[in-house]
Amino acid sequence: MLLAELAEVSRAVAATPARLEKIARLADALGRLAPDERAVGASWLAGDLPGGRVGIGAATLRAALEAAPPERSGPGLTVAEVDAALRRIAAVAGPGSGAARRRELDALLARAGNPERRFLAALVLGELRQGALEGVLADAVAKAAGLPAAEVRRAAMLAGALPPVAEAALSEGAAGLARFRLRVGEPVSPMLAQTAADVDEALRALGGEAALEWKLDGARIQAHRDGEAVRVFSRSLRDVTAAVPEVVALLRAAPEPRLVLDGEAIALRADGTPEPFQVTMRRFGRKLDVERLAPELPLTAFFFDALVAGGAELLARPERERWAALARAIPAERRVPRLVTRDPAEARAFLEDALARGQEGVVAKALDAPYEAGRRGAAWLKVKRAHTLDLVVLAAEWGSGRRRGWLSNLHLGARDPASGGFVMLGKTFKGMTDAMLAWQTDRLKALATGPLDAWQVPVRPELVVEVAFDGIQSSPRYPGGLALRFARVKRYREDKRPEDADTIETVRGLYGG
C-alpha cells in the first residue's frame, strides 16, 4: 500500500466522529495492506511506531521539513519502504549518529508529498491522534478478517498489543487468533483504572459495595512463576527480572508452583513510607548496578491480583475469587492493604490513612468484575489527591478527530525568575470541555507568534492555566529535566498574570519533597 493511501485513511478517520464509519474505513485499509505491511500498518493506524521512538526530536524534524524540497511527481512511497527507512533511522548509533539520522530523514521526506510529510511528522513525534483508538481498531480488524470482535479483543489483551493480532487474524483467521492465550512466563497488558472524584462517587458507580486497596506510588510489576523459573515484567511489559531479585525470591518461596500475579514494587523508607517514585525507578534503570543498589535501595513487593493460581487461569473469574486465590498464594504482609465496604465514612477514613502514609490514594474495585487485561475499564476506579500548579501556555497544537479546528494540546511552562523566561514541563490535552476548547482557541490564535497553519503554534506566554497532576518525574526530554505526570487542565486563571505563575523552583521543591 502507498503511504499516501494510509495517510488519507488517517485523515478521514480523524475527520469523522462516527464510530461505524471509522471502523469501515480502517477495515478497508487493513484489508488492502500487503502481508508484510499488516502489523506495521495496524500500529501506524493506532498512532504508534512498532519499535517506539526513532531518535528524531521535534527540532530536527522541523528543520528537515523546512529544508524538504517542493513536492514532485514520481513513484509514491510504500508502507514497507517507509517502515524500512524508519527502522534504519532507529538503528543508527555511535559518533555522527545525529547527522546520519538526518540524512535518512531528508531522503525519506524528499520522496513524500505534503500529506505524507504531515502524517510522518505526527507519527514520529508520537502525536498522531486520529481517533483510531485500540477498541475501534480491534473492531476494524475483526471486520476485515470476518471474525467476532470479542475474539480479536481477547487475543489483543493476551498478546499485549493489537498489531501482531491484526497480522495473525488477517493472514490466518481464527487459527491465527487461537495462538494468543495466557501463558505463564509471557506478559499480558495490565488492567488499568479510570478516575473517580472521591470515594463516595466510586462506591456509587460500583453499586454500593466495593473493595478498596491502597494505590501505591511504586512501579507496576507482573510476576510469573513456573517452578523455579521466575520472570518479572514492568507495566510496559519489559522484562525486569534481573533488577528485582527480592521479587524473584518471594515468588520462589510461594507455596504454589505456577503463578501470575499483578502488583507493585516500591522502595520504602525506614518508617515504612514510600520513597519518591523516581527513587524506586532507579532500581529499574541500572542493569549493571543491581548488586550494589539492592542492599542500599531494597524493593518491597505488594500484590493485589492473581491471574494464574491454584492451577487455573483466573482472568474471567470475579475479583473476589481472584483475591481469595491471591491470599492463598502470598502472605498477608505482601498483599496490598484492602477494605471491603459499602460505608462511605469508612471508605473516606481508609483513603485518608493511605494518604497519611504517603501513598497516592486508593483504587476501588467491583467485586464481581473479571480482570480486563489492557483495558481501562469502569470496574476499577482510582481516587487520588491531585496536586495543582499555575503554569503558562507556551504553545498549542491543532487537534484531530472531534477536536479538529481547535487548538488542543497545550505546552506548559513554569516561570524561571533567573532567566526571565519559562521552563517547559510537558503537554496536555486532557480536562477540557468543548466550551473551554473554543475559548482557548480564540485566545491562543490572538496570542500566536508563528503561522496558524503549522501543526504547532507558538504563543506569547501570557495565559495562565491551573493544571492538576499526579506527580513529577525526571525527564531528559525537557530543558528543566522534569515533567508532570498525568497533567490535566482544571481551569484558566484569568485573574493571574504570567509573573504570578509558579516557578521552576517550586516544581523542583515538589519533586524533591
Side-chain angles (χ1 to χ4, degrees), residues 219-242:
R220 187 81 174 262
I221 56 171
Q222 188 179 118
H224 293 235
R225 179 190 181 186
D226 190 355
E228 286 300 298
V230 175
R231 298 183 70 188
V232 184
F233 301 92
S234 69
R235 176 186 173 125
S236 60
L237 311 187
R238 183 168 60 93
D239 191 326
V240 294
T241 308

Side-chain angles (χ1 to χ4, degrees), residues 414 416 422-426 472-483 504-505 507-508 511:
D416 183 5
F422 297 88
V423 179
M424 188 170 172
L425 294 171
I472 300 169
Q473 62 189 23
S474 65
S475 173
R477 183 175 183 181
Y478 298 116
L482 298 175
I504 186 62
E505 290 307 317
V507 178
R508 289 178 180 137
Y511 173 71

Side-chain angles (χ1 to χ4, degrees), residues 149-217:
E151 292 185 15
V152 172
R153 286 194 290 270
R154 177 174 172 80
M157 176 182 78
L158 296 176
L162 183 60
V165 172
E167 183 177 23
L170 293 167
S171 301
E172 304 170 53
L177 290 189
R179 295 202 307 271
F180 299 99
R181 62 182 189 274
L182 178 58
R183 295 183 175 90
V184 178
E186 298 181 12
V188 297
S189 295
M191 185 171 176
L192 305 174
Q194 295 185 19
T195 299
D198 51 44
V199 290
D200 297 56
E201 179 183 285
L203 288 178
R204 287 194 300 271
L206 298 176
E209 185 179 43
L212 272 67
E213 298 168 3
W214 283 9
K215 188 178 191 315
L216 305 182
D217 191 16

Side-chain angles (χ1 to χ4, degrees), residues 391-398 407-413 422 440-452 454-465 492 498:
L391 302 175
V392 175
V393 180
L394 307 178
E397 298 167 19
W398 289 104
L407 285 167
S408 172
N409 199 21
L410 304 179
H411 295 208
L412 305 167
F422 297 88
Q440 78 182 23
T441 298
D442 289 341
R443 289 285 286 118
L444 293 172
K445 285 167 70 174
L447 295 173
T449 59
L452 290 173
W455 64 275
Q456 177 179 302
V457 179
V459 300
R460 295 197 304 276
E462 298 179 10
L463 204 54
V464 179
V465 62
Y492 277 97

Side-chain angles (χ1 to χ4, degrees), residues 223-301:
H224 293 235
R225 179 190 181 186
D226 190 355
E228 286 300 298
V230 175
R231 298 183 70 188
V232 184
F233 301 92
S234 69
R235 176 186 173 125
S236 60
L237 311 187
R238 183 168 60 93
D239 191 326
V240 294
T241 308
V244 288
E246 303 96 326
V247 180
V248 174
L250 176 61
L251 265 287
R252 284 182 176 155
E256 295 195 31
R258 284 176 59 81
L259 291 169
V260 177
L261 306 180
D262 193 356
E264 297 256 344
I266 188 168
L268 299 175
R269 300 186 178 104
D271 63 358
T273 59
E275 294 280 9
F277 176 76
Q278 286 299 315
V279 174
T280 291
M281 291 308 295
R282 285 174 56 200
R283 282 287 303 275
F284 292 85
R286 304 283 189 95
K287 290 183 178 179
L288 302 179
D289 255 1
V290 173
E291 289 187 7
R292 180 182 65 82
L293 275 176
E296 66 184 59
L297 187 61
L299 291 178
T300 303

Side-chain angles (χ1 to χ4, degrees), residues 59-69 102 109 117:
T60 298
L61 183 58
R62 192 178 306 116
L65 288 168
E66 291 173 354
R102 176 62 190 272
L109 295 176
R117 290 171 183 175

